[in-house]
Amino acid sequence: MAASKDRLSQDLIFDILSSPRRRYMIYYLRTHGGKAEVTDLAKHVAAWEYDIDPEELDDQQQKRVYVSLYQTHVPKLADIGIVNYDSETRMVELTDRATEVEEFVNPAAGDERQWQWYYLGLSVLSFTALALAAFDLPPLGGVSDIAVGIAVGIAFAALAVTHYVMWGRERRELPEELRSRE
């Protein structure tokens, strides 16, 4: 299969993701700078599979995974265009095409909202409101601390519900492939 400029089909993406080793390879590369040697990938994939520290692996465990990655998984991802593979340096590097797979692994990957900033902003406002009420400073000087605490709780609950509803709505949207029947 040669890489093309067209988007990957849903069937191909599911085929790619059907292998736990490929899923973990993509995850490892994405979380470790997008580039690694096959030996290093094999070490971390094997440690993940055996649920042990990479330093605790024996040579046989790492070799089994290395052979599988080298002969099967890296070439498959390279043929599809998810990774670039340099056979001289044995380096594997994610390509921009990996984002197409990421959308299926992490449905919120396309979400441009960065919810941590909403929660951080609400936290700052909450602490400010609580401090103003506690020290009897305007405009909340006359409001009881309990009332401010309840308002803060309601504000966080409303933000969490909004976040959950929007997350659920995004997960329920059909992929483009399933919307059109052409």
Side-chain angles (χ1 to χ4, degrees):
M1 258 181 274
S4 74
K5 300 287 182 204
D6 297 334
R7 285 189 57 84
L8 298 173
S9 72
Q10 190 174 31
D11 288 339
L12 184 55
I13 290 173
F14 287 153
D15 180 50
I16 293 165
L17 298 176
S18 68
S19 166
R21 284 187 178 167
R22 287 193 293 267
R23 287 193 306 265
Y24 192 76
M25 279 176 53
I26 293 168
Y27 167 79
Y28 181 82
L29 289 168
R30 187 173 38 85
T31 58
H32 290 85
K35 187 185 236 184
E37 291 181 309
V38 177
T39 306
D40 196 37
L41 268 175
K43 180 179 183 178
H44 287 89
V45 170
W48 171 73
E49 285 183 3
Y50 290 102
D51 197 23
I52 59 176
D53 223 44
E55 288 72 36
E56 296 175 25
L57 285 170
D58 64 41
D59 291 339
Q60 202 57 26
Q61 291 170 318
Q62 186 171 344
K63 186 176 181 180
R64 271 188 226 116
V65 173
Y66 177 87
V67 170
S68 171
L69 295 184
Y70 179 74
Q71 291 181 348
T72 305
H73 301 296
V74 170
K76 181 166 188 147
L77 293 177
D79 286 347
I80 296 167
I82 301 293
V83 299
N84 287 326
Y85 176 64
D86 184 337
S87 59
E88 289 180 22
T89 62
R90 305 229 177 198
M91 289 297 289
V92 179
E93 183 175 13
L94 285 177
T95 66
D96 291 340
R97 181 154 244 191
T99 58
E100 293 179 49
V101 175
E102 173 67 15
E103 293 171 12
F104 284 81
V105 176
N106 180 8
D111 184 5
E112 295 179 13
R113 285 178 213 82
Q114 295 186 357
W115 287 97
Q116 70 273 17
W117 297 115
Y118 293 110
Y119 287 101
L120 179 63
L122 185 55
S123 296
V124 169
L125 287 174
S126 298
F127 284 119
T128 302
L130 287 168
L132 290 173
F135 295 111
D136 287 327
L137 298 171
L140 299 176
V143 180
S144 76
D145 296 347
I146 292 175
V148 173
I150 290 170
V152 165
I154 291 170
F156 271 101
L159 179 59
V161 167
T162 302
H163 187 175
Y164 178 77
V165 167
M166 293 183 83
W167 172 79
R169 186 176 303 145
E170 289 163 1
R171 288 186 57 95
R172 284 190 300 274
E173 287 181 5
L174 287 174
E176 182 64 35
E177 248 184 317
L178 297 179
R179 278 188 242 143
S180 64
R181 295 182 181 229
E182 297 174 22

